[in-house]
Amino acid sequence: MLNKKELEAVLYHEQFHGRNKDPLKIFLLSLCASALWYLPVLKWSNERYKLISELLADRAAIDSLDSTLPIGSAPLKLIKYQKQQTSYAYAPFAETAVNYRIKCLVNPKMTITWNIPKLMMVKSVAVFMLLWSVFAY
């Protein structure tokens, strides 16, 4: 369903993930976030890393093709296809913030910010310190 340029863009995108070992990193972050569920900053970090890795992979595809059009239209086609199907069609990129990715495709100069939630960070540090004090001795 993808044309040649879109398929090429998807391949560049996935090549970036492979070179960067993103699947392994995301697996390890997910494992830590699940095992240490009482540290909410880990879940946030995992979700944020997924988004940023997608944006960086999109950027690699754009740089390789000198165009935002193929990497922008490919996910939209796949999402549309996924919604039309009642089978097990699945597009994992839809788990990330698609709207944010589209904004970055429309405005390539857009900067990525972390915006760490302060209350979540304070809670995580407090829990970590409490656990450290209990188990350190």
Side-chain angles (χ1 to χ4, degrees):
M1 99 182 82
L2 300 178
N3 66 38
K4 186 180 179 210
K5 281 292 185 190
E6 291 168 339
L7 187 57
E8 197 175 348
V10 170
L11 290 174
Y12 282 125
H13 176 99
E14 295 306 326
Q15 248 181 352
F16 177 86
H17 284 310
R19 279 193 316 269
N20 201 37
K21 296 179 178 51
D22 285 334
L24 175 63
K25 291 175 184 177
I26 289 170
F27 170 74
L28 293 174
L29 275 170
S30 297
L31 188 64
C32 289
S34 295
L36 303 171
W37 54 268
Y38 44 85
L39 297 173
V41 75
L42 293 177
K43 181 180 178 189
W44 175 85
S45 297
N46 181 41
E47 291 167 359
R48 202 65 174 169
Y49 183 81
K50 286 179 190 177
L51 174 61
I52 289 174
S53 70
E54 288 300 320
L55 294 174
L56 291 173
D58 287 348
R59 174 70 49 215
I62 291 166
D63 291 345
S64 296
L65 295 172
D66 291 326
S67 174
T68 60
L69 189 59
I71 197 63
S73 60
L76 293 175
K77 278 185 182 178
L78 293 172
I79 290 170
K80 184 178 177 184
Y81 176 78
Q82 180 180 347
K83 287 185 178 185
Q84 291 172 348
Q85 299 301 310
T86 56
S87 66
Y88 294 102
Y90 177 67
F93 57 81
E95 292 176 356
T96 61
V98 175
N99 291 339
Y100 194 78
R101 286 178 68 189
I102 291 169
K103 283 181 187 178
C104 287
L105 290 171
V106 171
N107 181 9
K109 303 281 186 212
M110 187 173 160
T111 57
I112 303 167
T113 58
W114 277 89
N115 295 333
I116 298 172
K118 289 174 184 64
L119 182 59
M120 180 188 301
M121 186 60 109
V122 168
K123 286 180 183 178
S124 295
V125 169
V127 169
F128 179 78
M129 296 303 285
L130 177 67
L131 290 172
W132 181 267
S133 67
V134 170
F135 293 108
Y137 298 104

